[in-house]
């Protein structure tokens, strides 16, 4: 690297950090001195624009000297931000913004700009009608609509629907209590918006190109992940083909038989669920229910033992061998009770020696009934199998019918076991789906719903990645539980409520969705960072390498999600408020978070990130920006986004 390039790189990094610090301090100053003060002395000051300008020039120089245009994906990403900044400068220099107050039937030909000056409009405006549209059957506002006439056109202005006349954009702000007047925002910025939106488009294309480019690390990482997934699917398919399994209906009936287990009487389904979870890691496996796994092992023990013990290479082999030994010793199948001398003893089927006090007829049934049931299952006599199961249950009732759990208690426990077999993400998915259906909008409108969505994202990521990165099996659920805990503790309401009119936009939903996906990934990186430091301290280098690789794999989509989310939010703001960026504290801190997490993406230029220990320390510290963006702004700084 030549000295000039090294100096340019240091200049870029220094300016970058300085801008981040200035934006953060400005949000704090705004809390003390007000929005007008920071708008004039920071965001609108010449020196702040100069910092961005010098950073842009230095970055463009570095791009040319390093010939990044040869790597199209990386080039598009960096150029997009240059175009976005150019659009922001164009808006800052040439845009006109203000408000106009209209009354029904009164013609207005001027507006008040942001500095309080009266500016003349090139056309006249008159409010023809204002109306409030409510949710059907309620008095809750669904939308505010203003029909505005000009000497050239008639336009409808409503929430999330901007009216346009000769390039001047009108958007709903407030209305008079008598319903005869409104205050509309007015904006004229045809060039700034065009340039900025071009930058957004280039950013999106650059992100897609980066994910698909053969010259980036992302493509290699994703290719490995897809190959691993295909390998696992093929292995699973082969396992399914060669394993004999009993009929699902028969297995379900057998699961309703009572058993003595863990010193309590419960349905065999409870034993089967525990057995399946210990042997396969879940309460179902390759589409087989816990009952099918348990009773298929009982009858076709040789192939099942080979598949789940000998061919299963995942951790916990000693525990699985111990569970199998307990199975063969009959500790899971004590299904035959017999009462002698006021004491009830439970016996397993098979050839064990039974007490002489038990009559020969009952002894024969205890020893042989399961053999008859196995014969009926293997020969396909389904009705015969049902008959034997009924006789076993009748035997239990005749022996100790007064202490057996009732039918409803048995059904309830089986239902509970089914809930255990449903993956946590499924439960959250059902809840999100029901909220969406019942509320009529995507459930991302408040803190409770965003935390719920974030937990869902974390658990889905756990399912997708756990085969390749086992560490995520505990990190993902822990992070998801933290999200649910936050949802309950922060006072966010879980009640279904209608949306505020300004929030009824698909753009807003996608904005929140992508941002929360980014935050979920950042949360995983936080926990991976903590775990990585533990591994580094214990010098477990191979595992540290895998943990670092997982964190780096998550970093790219996390930053991309946040970038897309921020600029989707800017488009929504432009549609709703007539301004795509206002330096609101939430916007500012989201930008800070993006800039903080974008730094380790340049690990080839910044050699310090090649050190796993430094990388994980940085990712832990970086999460402070996420935490402050989501909570600190809401509870400390306030602003337009403090409701979110």
């Amino acid at each position: 690297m030549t000295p000039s390039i090294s100096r340019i790189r240091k200049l870029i990094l220094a300016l970058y950090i300085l801008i981040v610090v200035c934006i953060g301090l400005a949000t704090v100053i705004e809390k003390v001195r007000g929005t007008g003060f920071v708008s004039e002395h920071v965001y609108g000051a010449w020196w702040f624009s100069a910092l961005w300008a010098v950073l842009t020039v230095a970055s463009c120089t570095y791009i040319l000297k390093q010939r990044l245009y040869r790597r199209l994906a990386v080039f598009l990403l960096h150029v997009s931000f240059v175009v976005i900044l150019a659009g922001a400068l164009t808006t800052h220099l040439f845009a006109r913004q203000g408000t106009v107050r209209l009354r029904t039937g009164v013609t207005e030909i001027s507006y008040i700009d942001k500095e309080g000056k009266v500016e003349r409009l090139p056309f006249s405006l008159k409010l023809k009608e204002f109306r409030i549209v409510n949710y059907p059957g309620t008095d809750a506002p669904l939308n505010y609509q203003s029909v505005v006439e000009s000497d050239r056109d008639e336009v409808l202005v409503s929430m999330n629907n901007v009216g346009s006349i000769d390039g001047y954009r009108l958007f709903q702000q407030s209305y008079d209590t008598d319903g005869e007047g409104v205050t509309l925002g007015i904006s004229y910025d045809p060039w700034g918006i065009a340039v900025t939106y071009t930058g957004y488009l280039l950013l999106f294309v650059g992100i897609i190109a980066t994910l698909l480019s053969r010259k980036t690390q992302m493509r290699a990482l994703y290719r490995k992940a897809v190959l691993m997934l295909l390998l696992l699917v093929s292995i699973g398919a082969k396992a399914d083909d060669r394993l004999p399994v009993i009929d699902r209906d028969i297995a379900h009936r057998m699961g309703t038989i009572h058993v003595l287990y863990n010193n309590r009487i419960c349905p065999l389904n409870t034993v089967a669920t525990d057995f399946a979870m210990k042997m396969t890691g879940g309460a179902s496996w390759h589409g087989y229910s816990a009952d099918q796994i348990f009773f298929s092992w009982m009858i076709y023990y040789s192939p099942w033992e080979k598949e789940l013990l000998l061919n299963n290479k995942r951790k916990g082999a000693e525990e699985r061998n111990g569970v199998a030994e307990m199975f063969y010793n009959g500790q899971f199948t004590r299904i035959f009770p017999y009462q002698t001398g006021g004491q009830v003893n439970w016996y397993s089927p098979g050839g064990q020696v039974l007490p002489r006090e038990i009559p020969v007829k009952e002894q024969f049934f205890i020893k042989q009934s399961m053999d008859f049931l196995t014969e009926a299952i293997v020969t396909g006599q389904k009705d015969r199998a049902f008959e034997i199961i009924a006789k076993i249950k009748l035997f239990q009732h005749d022996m100790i019918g007064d202490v057996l759990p009732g039918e409803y208690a048995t059904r309830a426990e089986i239902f509970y076991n089914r809930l255990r077999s449903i993956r946590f993400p499924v439960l959250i998915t059902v809840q999100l789906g029901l909220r969406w259906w019942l509320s009529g909008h995507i459930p991302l409108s408040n803190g409770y719903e965003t935390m719920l969505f974030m937990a869902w994202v974390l658990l889905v990521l756990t399912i997708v990645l756990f085969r390749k990165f086992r560490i995520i099996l505990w990190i993902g659920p822990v992070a998801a539980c933290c999200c649910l805990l936050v949802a309950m503790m922060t006072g966010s309401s879980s009640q279904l409520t209608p949306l505020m009119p300004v929030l009824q936009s698909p753009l807003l939903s996608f904005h929140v969705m992508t941002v929360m996906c980014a935050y979920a990934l950042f949360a995983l990186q936080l926990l991976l960072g903590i775990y990585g430091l533990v591994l580094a301290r214990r010098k477990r280098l191979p595992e540290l390498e895998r943990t670092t690789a997982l964190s780096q794999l998550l970093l790219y989509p996390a930053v991309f999600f946040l970038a897309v989310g921020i600029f989707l939010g800017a488009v929504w703001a432009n549609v709703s408020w007539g301004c795509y960026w206002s330096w609101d504290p939430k916007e500012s801190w989201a930008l800070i978070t993006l800039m903080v997490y974008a730094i380790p993406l340049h690990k080839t230029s910044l050699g310090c990130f090649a050190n796993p220990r430094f990388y994980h320390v940085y990712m832990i510290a970086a999460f402070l920006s996420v935490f402050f963006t989501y909570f600190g702004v809401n509870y400390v700084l306030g602003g337009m986004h403090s409701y979110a």
Side-chain angles (χ1 to χ4, degrees):
M1 184 187 303
T2 64
S4 60
I5 293 179
S6 177
R7 286 195 294 268
I8 293 174
R9 178 178 295 170
K10 291 178 181 178
L11 174 62
I12 291 173
L13 183 61
L15 290 171
Y16 193 91
I17 295 174
L18 181 59
I19 289 174
V20 169
V21 172
C22 288
I23 296 173
L25 290 176
T27 61
V28 178
I29 296 172
E30 181 178 356
K31 178 68 175 180
V32 179
R33 301 296 298 272
T35 302
F37 181 86
V38 293
S39 296
E40 179 181 356
H41 293 90
V42 181
Y43 303 129
W46 67 268
W47 61 266
F48 189 69
S49 298
L51 284 177
W52 284 106
V54 175
L55 176 63
T56 302
V57 172
S59 299
C60 290
T61 304
Y62 182 81
I63 289 172
L64 293 175
K65 283 185 173 292
Q66 290 292 87
R67 299 180 179 180
L68 290 183
Y69 48 82
R70 294 182 174 180
R71 300 166 59 191
L72 181 60
V74 177
F75 180 71
L76 284 175
L77 278 178
H78 289 82
V79 168
S80 68
F81 286 103
V82 174
V83 176
I84 290 170
L85 289 174
L89 179 62
T90 304
T91 295
H92 178 67
L93 295 176
F94 304 110
R96 306 174 195 171
Q97 293 180 341
T99 59
V100 59
R101 190 168 182 274
L102 302 177
R103 294 287 295 180
T104 304
V106 178
T107 301
E108 183 61 63
I109 59 172
S110 61
Y111 70 96
I112 301 175
D113 68 9
K114 296 179 68 174
E115 297 179 356
K117 299 178 181 179
V118 178
E119 299 286 345
R120 187 176 180 84
L121 288 166
F123 46 81
S124 63
L125 292 176
K126 181 171 60 177
L127 179 64
K128 180 179 179 180
E129 180 187 4
F130 172 76
R131 52 181 177 261
I132 301 175
V133 180
N134 295 328
Y135 282 93
T138 74
D139 57 1
L142 173 65
N143 204 349
Y144 305 116
Q145 299 178 343
S146 300
V147 181
V148 179
E149 290 181 328
S150 73
D151 50 8
R152 305 181 187 183
D153 201 358
E154 178 179 295
V155 296
L156 175 66
V157 182
S158 62
M159 305 308 299
N160 300 309
N161 181 59
V162 177
S164 180
I165 303 174
D166 286 353
Y168 283 81
R169 304 168 68 244
L170 306 174
F171 50 95
Q172 191 75 42
Q173 278 196 347
S174 62
Y175 63 93
D176 297 347
T177 55
D178 61 0
E180 296 296 322
V182 297
T183 299
L184 301 180
I186 190 166
S187 173
Y188 183 77
D189 182 27
W191 298 109
I193 292 175
V195 175
T196 302
Y197 278 20
T198 301
Y200 295 166
L201 179 60
L202 287 175
L203 174 66
F204 182 74
V205 173
I207 288 174
I208 299 301
T210 301
L211 296 176
L212 299 179
S213 174
R214 296 179 179 179
K215 297 182 180 180
T216 62
Q217 184 184 14
M218 285 296 297
R219 181 68 177 266
L221 291 172
Y222 283 143
R223 190 193 300 106
K224 290 179 181 179
V226 170
L227 289 175
M228 179 63 68
L229 179 62
L230 293 176
L231 178 62
L232 291 169
V233 170
S234 64
I235 291 174
K238 292 178 181 178
D240 289 349
D241 291 341
R242 64 170 177 262
L243 281 176
V245 61
I246 72 172
D247 180 83
R248 181 178 291 269
D249 292 335
I250 295 177
H252 173 70
R253 291 279 185 95
M254 294 176 71
T256 62
I257 298 173
H258 288 100
V259 63
L260 182 67
Y261 177 64
N262 286 340
N263 296 318
R264 60 182 291 266
I265 302 174
C266 62
L268 262 172
N269 174 261
T270 299
V271 181
T273 302
D274 288 350
F275 179 83
M277 294 182 73
K278 291 175 180 177
M279 300 303 293
T280 69
S284 61
W285 184 74
H286 290 294
Y288 301 141
S289 68
D291 290 330
Q292 286 180 294
I293 295 170
F294 183 79
F295 298 116
S296 296
W297 186 301
M298 180 183 295
I299 297 174
Y300 308 109
Y301 59 88
S302 181
W304 279 87
E305 180 184 78
K306 181 179 179 181
E307 181 63 35
L308 295 184
L309 285 183
L310 302 181
N311 294 343
N312 195 338
K313 302 301 183 182
R314 67 183 184 88
K315 295 181 180 179
E318 292 185 3
E319 180 184 12
R320 292 196 303 276
N321 287 330
V323 171
E325 184 176 353
M326 293 172 66
F327 181 95
Y328 294 136
N329 290 337
Q331 297 184 45
F332 294 151
T333 53
R334 296 175 180 174
I335 60 177
F336 296 103
Y338 197 86
Q339 184 171 336
T340 56
Q343 182 178 356
V344 178
N345 294 305
W346 289 75
Y347 302 98
S348 300
Q352 78 271 28
V353 178
L354 298 175
R356 294 182 179 180
E357 293 81 2
I358 300 179
V360 174
K361 182 179 179 181
E362 280 75 9
Q363 287 200 27
F364 180 81
F365 186 81
I366 293 173
K367 291 182 178 182
Q368 300 298 324
S369 57
M370 288 302 295
D371 292 338
F372 295 147
L373 178 58
T374 299
E375 180 184 358
I377 293 173
V378 172
T379 56
Q381 302 179 61
K382 192 171 183 177
D383 292 338
R384 172 64 175 163
F386 287 161
E387 180 182 348
I388 297 172
I389 293 171
K391 289 183 177 181
I392 293 174
K393 296 171 72 173
L394 180 61
F395 178 90
Q396 292 180 331
H397 187 270
D398 290 341
M399 295 296 109
I400 54 166
D402 54 337
V403 298
L404 288 176
E407 180 181 358
Y408 291 109
T410 301
R411 290 183 180 180
E413 183 159 348
I414 292 175
F415 178 72
Y416 170 76
N417 292 331
R418 287 179 181 174
L419 291 180
R420 294 168 62 194
S421 68
I422 298 176
R423 299 292 186 185
F424 196 13
V426 176
L427 296 178
I428 298 182
T429 302
V430 171
Q431 186 174 359
L432 285 171
L434 288 174
R435 292 185 71 90
W436 190 343
W437 175 40
L438 296 173
S439 65
H441 60 78
I442 298 177
L444 291 168
S445 62
N446 56 36
Y448 175 83
E449 291 179 342
T450 54
M451 283 288 99
L452 193 66
F453 178 77
M454 187 170 171
W456 179 81
V457 171
L458 287 165
L459 292 169
V460 170
L461 284 171
T462 301
I463 293 175
V464 172
L465 297 174
F466 85 95
R467 294 283 188 181
K468 187 171 180 62
F469 302 97
R470 303 295 295 180
I471 179 61
I472 205 172
L473 269 177
W474 68 266
I475 285 182
V478 166
C481 290
C482 290
C483 292
L484 297 178
L485 184 62
V486 168
M488 292 185 292
M489 294 180 62
T490 56
S492 302
S493 175
S494 61
Q495 295 179 345
L496 295 174
T497 57
L499 277 181
M500 296 167 55
V502 72
L503 302 182
Q504 297 165 12
S505 169
L507 280 173
L508 176 62
S509 297
F510 288 117
H511 156 66
V512 177
M513 189 182 302
T514 51
V515 170
M516 295 310 298
C517 285
Y519 289 172
L521 292 170
F522 292 147
L524 282 180
Q525 289 179 293
L526 167 68
L527 296 178
L528 287 170
I530 296 173
Y531 185 67
L533 293 182
V534 173
L535 295 176
R537 184 178 180 84
R538 296 179 178 178
K539 301 185 182 305
R540 294 161 61 179
L541 299 183
E543 196 169 352
L544 173 61
E545 183 180 356
R546 290 193 296 270
T547 302
T548 306
L550 174 58
S551 181
Q552 292 171 344
L553 174 67
L554 298 177
L555 179 60
Y556 285 87
V559 173
F560 292 161
F561 271 129
L562 183 57
V564 171
I566 288 175
F567 296 119
L568 280 176
V571 174
W572 168 70
N574 198 31
V575 172
S576 300
W577 313 108
C579 177
Y580 56 83
W581 194 264
S582 61
W583 291 110
D584 180 76
K586 180 76 81 171
E587 296 173 355
S588 300
W589 273 95
L591 178 61
I592 289 173
T593 301
L594 176 64
M595 296 178 72
V596 167
Y597 277 96
I599 292 177
L601 290 179
H602 301 80
K603 64 179 182 179
T604 54
S605 301
L606 302 173
C608 54
F609 287 102
N611 184 326
R613 186 190 297 269
F614 179 86
Y615 172 82
H616 288 303
V617 169
Y618 184 91
M619 299 309 292
I620 293 171
F623 192 77
L624 293 175
S625 65
V626 177
F627 186 84
F628 194 82
T629 301
Y630 193 85
F631 296 106
V633 173
N634 289 1
Y635 298 107
V636 178
L637 299 181
M640 289 189 300
H641 293 75
S642 60
Y643 56 81

